[in-house]
Amino acid sequence: MRKAVSLKRRANISAFVGTMFMSVCASNALAIDFKIDLPPKKGVATPNDEVFFDESLSVSEQQADSIVPETTEPMAALPSPVPPKNVQQRWNPTRVDVAVPQAEPMKPVNPASQVQQKSNAPLAGVSQRSSAAPAVPSFSTFPNLACLTENVAFWKRVYAEVDVNEALIHDRDDLDKVYAVVRLGGNESQRQTSIRMLRDHYRESLRSLAEKLDNPKSWDATERSLSKHFRPSELTRSRLLQASANLRLQQGLKSRFNAGVQRSLQYLPTIKSILRDQNLPLEIALLPHVESSFVNHAKSKVGAVGLWQLMPQTMQLLMGKSAVNRRTDPNTATFAAAKLLKQNFAATGSWPLALTAYNHGLGGVLRAVRSTSSNDLCKIIERYNSPSFRFASSNFYAQFLAARQISLQRYAELSKNREVGRIVAPLIASREKGTL
């Protein structure tokens, strides 16, 4: 009996989806750009999706959810698509690529000075640039790499346009392909159910389109809409099947990000002081927007804790065993993170690589450098094929660039308040001088 009811419910959902997209077509909404990527259910990672933004979501769920009141409305079938905002075509011929400055080649040093990162990858036998941190350049410290233009634009949408009750349906490897923006109603459990239903529906639609390429008249509304996100040369069976495997959901973070901006004001004076003492760029103070959304007691399911999401082993190596329990102390944690980033930059000579190493591990980044014979992050992302270097690691620097741009905009708006202005003035000044 229960099985029959379940089958009937699925049939109703399928009918609803078909009706919904016919309605979308009728209202000239076929230009909807899709993308989806949400963190999986707490404590569960699916084989095809890496957990992303886990450090600030999975561990601080209750704190973060309290920022935005949950809706109590029941979920009725699939969430409805909403028009995307400012979608750009990846093949836009008017786009101008930005020249990327090359980092200096690395020089071998004593590998014993290296510190284990979040990935806990072994670092024996790798080489570093220098045991002392080199001088930090004042211009293009964090360059906007041309290869990450679409990725940065994607994360800016996540931070500034799409809220926690919405999600982007997108291609994991091509962040310019956003297939739809959908609303997620109900509580967290209902949202996760919606996500699974939507992911299954779009994956099946891409597979169906792959099998029906030779007969466009047989395409349904969803398939016609999906086809518009591929160039003619991309409309092949193999490419569509790959797109089906790449489908991902990304929950919006607008309200959580804005709340993080407000929370950051109590921590920025301490963080800026330590970064100055360590001769590090002040923009690094914005990294907790990516790591924890400035929730000081955030804890990830892999054990990272605090504003900077430091792992126990990393904290012990950096600051000693007694410091492991002080990862929620802003002073201690910031000093440890500064020390870690300083060592990353000393080893790589590049802030894009140093920040990537903060997420992926210095050992992993140096292996990528050796494997690709390049210390250019763009070339590493293009060439490096490793099961551990996936969506999260390859997007971490782009996520930082997006968080930096959006947070500085928010700080500029808040700086009209004199007290807030004193806190954020150095960061805003850096942007106005062109270092951002």
Side-chain angles (χ1 to χ4, degrees):
M1 180 65 181
R2 288 184 179 179
K3 185 175 181 181
V5 172
S6 176
L7 292 173
K8 184 177 180 181
R9 184 173 179 271
R10 291 190 180 186
N12 290 338
I13 290 173
S14 299
F16 175 83
V17 170
T19 303
M20 179 178 66
F21 275 92
M22 288 301 292
S23 175
V24 169
C25 293
S27 58
N28 296 321
L30 281 177
I32 289 179
D33 192 4
F34 307 78
K35 277 190 179 179
I36 291 185
D37 190 2
L38 288 172
K41 190 173 182 180
K42 185 174 180 179
V44 178
T46 59
N48 296 323
D49 288 310
E50 285 192 28
V51 178
F52 197 73
F53 213 84
D54 171 69
E55 284 73 13
S56 67
L57 286 183
S58 71
V59 178
S60 59
E61 278 291 348
Q62 294 178 349
Q63 293 162 306
D65 285 342
S66 66
I67 299 167
V68 183
E70 280 194 347
T71 59
T72 57
E73 58 186 277
M75 181 187 70
L78 290 176
S80 58
V82 295
K85 304 172 184 177
N86 303 324
V87 176
Q88 298 179 350
Q89 300 298 324
R90 68 187 290 240
W91 55 88
N92 186 350
T94 62
R95 191 183 71 196
V96 179
D97 290 338
V98 181
V100 180
Q102 299 295 318
E104 300 177 21
M106 295 182 293
K107 300 176 183 178
V109 298
N110 183 4
S113 62
Q114 294 178 347
V115 178
Q116 187 175 6
Q117 310 285 313
K118 284 186 180 182
S119 66
N120 299 320
L123 302 181
V126 296
S127 55
Q128 284 185 314
R129 175 182 159 83
S130 171
S131 59
V136 176
S138 60
F139 183 75
S140 295
T141 302
F142 301 102
N144 293 303
L145 305 182
C147 69
L148 297 178
T149 299
E150 294 162 1
N151 301 56
V152 173
F154 173 81
W155 290 109
K156 286 172 68 175
R157 288 183 69 184
V158 171
Y159 291 145
E161 298 179 16
V162 184
D163 214 341
V164 294
N165 62 341
E166 298 176 323
L168 300 170
I169 306 179
H170 71 97
D171 187 290
R172 184 182 61 226
D173 295 336
D174 182 359
L175 295 187
D176 193 51
K177 279 186 168 56
V178 177
Y179 301 119
V181 183
V182 295
R183 292 189 179 96
L184 304 173
N187 57 32
E188 184 61 27
S189 175
Q190 291 172 320
R191 290 177 186 177
Q192 293 299 325
T193 300
S194 298
I195 292 166
R196 288 192 294 271
M197 292 169 60
L198 286 162
R199 184 160 44 212
D200 291 346
H201 171 70
Y202 278 94
R203 280 177 174 166
E204 183 56 37
S205 292
L206 284 165
R207 294 189 190 107
S208 176
L209 179 61
E211 301 300 329
K212 295 156 60 176
L213 275 177
D214 295 335
N215 188 14
K217 291 183 179 180
S218 66
W219 297 353
D220 61 25
T222 307
E223 293 161 356
R224 287 196 299 273
S225 180
L226 288 171
S227 70
K228 294 181 181 295
H229 297 278
F230 296 86
R231 303 176 190 176
S233 61
E234 293 179 317
L235 280 175
T236 64
R237 185 175 184 276
S238 60
R239 178 67 181 86
L240 290 170
L241 291 177
Q242 182 62 51
S244 174
N246 285 352
L247 197 73
R248 189 173 182 272
L249 291 103
Q250 176 60 54
Q251 186 177 15
L253 298 168
K254 179 180 177 180
S255 56
R256 286 176 177 164
F257 191 88
N258 289 341
V261 168
Q262 295 287 343
R263 279 192 297 269
S264 70
L265 298 177
Q266 63 182 305
Y267 299 112
L268 284 178
T270 296
I271 293 174
K272 288 189 301 177
S273 175
I274 293 174
L275 293 178
R276 283 195 182 101
D277 290 343
Q278 295 299 309
N279 191 32
L280 290 171
L282 289 182
E283 297 96 313
I284 288 176
L286 306 175
L287 185 58
H289 282 300
V290 177
E291 286 291 337
S292 65
S293 202
F294 279 92
V295 176
N296 189 39
H297 287 78
K299 180 181 178 183
S300 78
K301 65 185 179 183
V302 296
V305 168
L307 296 176
W308 300 90
Q309 289 294 280
L310 294 165
M311 295 289 286
Q313 303 92 326
T314 302
M315 191 66 169
Q316 181 173 340
L317 288 169
L318 289 167
M319 306 292 290
K321 188 174 181 180
S322 62
V324 172
N325 294 329
R326 289 186 283 141
R327 287 176 290 162
T328 54
D329 176 350
N331 278 282
T332 304
T334 299
F335 187 82
K339 187 176 181 180
L340 186 57
L341 287 162
K342 201 170 185 178
Q343 292 180 358
N344 287 353
F345 183 64
T348 63
S350 158
W351 278 115
L353 291 184
L355 287 178
T356 301
Y358 191 86
N359 172 268
H360 185 62
L362 180 57
V365 167
L366 294 178
R367 282 193 295 274
V369 169
R370 290 196 300 268
S371 175
T372 60
S373 300
S374 175
N375 54 6
D376 181 341
L377 180 58
C378 285
K379 292 180 180 178
I380 288 174
I381 291 173
E382 178 185 0
R383 301 174 184 173
Y384 189 48
N385 184 19
S386 168
S388 63
F389 193 78
R390 298 181 63 194
F391 186 85
S393 297
S394 63
N395 269 273
F396 192 75
Y397 183 64
Q399 192 179 4
F400 170 76
L401 293 178
R404 183 187 61 173
Q405 292 181 37
I406 300 302
S407 62
L408 286 173
Q409 292 173 8
R410 300 289 184 268
Y411 291 137
E413 296 165 1
L414 295 172
S415 65
K416 296 176 182 178
N417 179 295
R418 184 174 299 179
E419 184 177 350
V420 174
R422 284 196 295 267
I423 296 173
V424 300
L427 290 168
I428 296 174
S430 296
R431 179 180 66 172
E432 292 174 348
K433 289 178 182 178
T435 60
L436 301 181

